[in-house]
Amino acid sequence: MADTITREQRRKNMQAIRSQSKLENKVSRKLWNKGYRFRKNDRSLFGKPDISIKKYKVVIFIDSCFWHSCEIHGNRPKSNQDYWNKKLTRNKERDLEVMAYYKEKGWFIKRIWEHQVKEDLEKTADELAHFIQKAKEHSS
């Protein structure tokens, strides 16, 4: 399908995309304050996890309700439905591929939803800290 906006507008839109969301920054700040050291959006790892600790084989993905089609909050735009259906379906397929990859390699993988962070940041950070701690103990 042909693009419906100009090349210049598309360029501006793409430049506005940030690799780290405010949500990711909130979660990572909480984990950092709890004493965990990690990498954010490590391009050397498959799927570019939001948070990773190679030493303990830990990867964490913070999934947006829209982009990852949350069953509770995900919605599909009314316009250009064919495009969005393909795009969002492919995102879900990619999530499954990433999960399978890390499970096969013996990594600890955790996915959390945007709404979990928004509903209770402290609880989410505590759950992630517990998850990392279990991985750390397992790798010792």
Side-chain angles (χ1 to χ4, degrees):
M1 177 174 194
D3 210 346
T4 57
I5 61 177
T6 66
R7 286 177 59 102
E8 180 62 21
Q9 185 59 47
R10 175 66 59 210
R11 187 181 71 76
K12 285 180 181 176
N13 288 353
M14 296 309 284
Q15 283 180 329
I17 297 172
R18 300 284 173 235
S19 64
Q20 297 174 15
S21 72
K22 290 178 185 175
L23 215 53
E24 292 170 30
N25 289 336
K26 283 181 183 179
V27 172
S28 60
R29 199 172 307 116
K30 285 286 185 188
L31 288 176
W32 193 268
N33 290 339
K34 290 179 180 289
Y36 293 99
R37 300 300 176 249
F38 48 83
R39 295 281 173 248
K40 290 171 66 174
N41 305 109
D42 187 342
R43 291 175 185 260
S44 71
L45 293 173
F46 183 62
K48 203 170 94 173
D50 298 312
I51 296 171
S52 61
I53 308 172
K54 288 182 182 177
K55 182 177 181 180
Y56 306 128
K57 290 185 153 186
V58 168
V59 289
I60 298 169
F61 293 88
I62 303 168
D63 293 340
S64 155
C65 289
F66 174 76
W67 290 108
H68 297 270
S69 301
C70 169
E71 297 293 327
I72 302 167
H73 303 105
N75 63 343
R76 302 219 174 190
K78 303 261 184 277
S79 64
N80 205 0
Q81 287 186 342
D82 187 46
Y83 169 81
W84 285 109
N85 286 338
K86 286 178 187 171
K87 173 71 175 158
L88 297 176
T89 298
R90 178 62 190 128
N91 287 353
K92 286 185 84 164
E93 289 169 357
R94 190 177 308 111
D95 291 345
L96 294 174
E97 290 168 14
V98 168
M99 292 281 286
Y101 173 86
Y102 284 109
K103 283 182 180 178
E104 183 181 308
K105 302 278 184 197
W107 283 61
F108 297 88
I109 182 168
K110 181 107 171 138
R111 297 194 92 93
I112 59 171
W113 286 105
E114 167 188 9
H115 65 260
Q116 289 175 271
V117 177
K118 287 181 175 179
E119 286 168 7
D120 194 340
L121 177 59
E122 283 299 326
K123 180 181 174 192
T124 302
D126 288 344
E127 287 175 9
L128 290 175
H130 180 71
F131 172 76
I132 294 168
Q133 194 60 40
K134 279 178 53 179
K136 185 176 178 179
E137 291 166 4
H138 189 271
S139 63
S140 297

